[in-house]
Amino acid sequence: MGVASKRVLRSFHGLAIGGLAFAATAAAPLAATAASGGSAWPFIENGGRFADEVAFATSTRHGTVYVTRDGRLITDFLDSGGAAAPARITETFAGAGIAPRGAVASVTRVHRFFGADSRSWGPLAAYDTIALGSPWPGVEVQLAVGGGTVERLFVVAPGADTAAIRVRLEPQDFYKICLRA
């Protein structure tokens, strides 16, 4: 008999929703740059640029994705012109054990040059993969940037029940919002 190994379930959402009200202005240059090149920036650790509840943020070709300290993903869409659109999706992994942390460091180096006080300027930690933890027994959730979007990875241990995986999306009618002409 072979040795059981972990399975990885991938979930792409080709969606990204613009900035939170408290970060929309600060995130706009990142989102516009990512939108023009079609690639995603690494996850950047919050170095005081965003509200305290934000642990990491990244920009994709579709908008800005924030990872909060309690593990919610808040995505703000860009419209076709690169401006923040009036649509936001919040994804919540229904379970316990969420604690975002950097998992795979990025080769991209990010420095903060914000504000008049040069003492607050400097490097910020950047990651290609964020580990969110194990909200369900035997299932670890990771987030990875690539291809201009954020990929949700569900790493499933042998014997773990994938039926336990639950992701809540708000607003509930987000497909109607996303598919507007």
Side-chain angles (χ1 to χ4, degrees):
M1 291 181 59
V3 176
S5 63
K6 291 184 178 183
R7 295 174 290 154
V8 177
L9 305 176
R10 296 172 183 265
S11 172
F12 279 103
H13 292 298
L15 314 171
I17 310 170
L20 293 172
F22 56 78
T25 302
L30 284 176
T33 302
S36 65
S39 61
W41 287 71
F43 288 102
I44 301 169
E45 192 169 54
N46 186 358
R49 180 174 179 188
F50 307 109
D52 289 341
E53 72 178 299
V54 174
F56 300 94
T58 188
S59 291
T60 71
R61 65 179 174 229
H62 302 288
T64 304
V65 178
Y66 302 93
V67 181
T68 64
R69 297 192 191 286
D70 63 1
R72 289 176 293 133
L73 273 68
I74 301 172
T75 309
D76 288 325
F77 284 110
L78 293 176
D79 66 16
S80 60
R88 174 180 296 148
I89 294 175
T90 300
E91 298 173 63
T92 305
F93 298 99
I98 297 288
R101 63 176 176 74
V104 178
S106 178
V107 297
T108 302
R109 300 292 172 238
V110 178
H111 290 266
R112 181 177 191 253
F113 299 102
F114 186 75
D117 186 0
S118 63
R119 293 175 295 177
S120 67
W121 299 354
L124 296 174
Y127 300 93
D128 291 332
T129 303
I130 300 293
L132 293 183
S134 297
W136 311 283
V139 180
E140 180 184 347
V141 179
Q142 300 175 355
L143 305 173
V145 293
T149 190
V150 174
E151 183 179 12
R152 288 81 172 150
L153 304 172
F154 299 92
V155 181
V156 182
D161 183 9
T162 57
I165 297 172
R166 296 281 185 260
V167 180
R168 184 176 58 182
L169 300 171
E170 296 176 36
Q172 297 289 326
D173 60 349
F174 80 98
Y175 284 111
K176 291 178 187 173
I177 293 170
C178 298
L179 297 176
R180 284 192 299 223

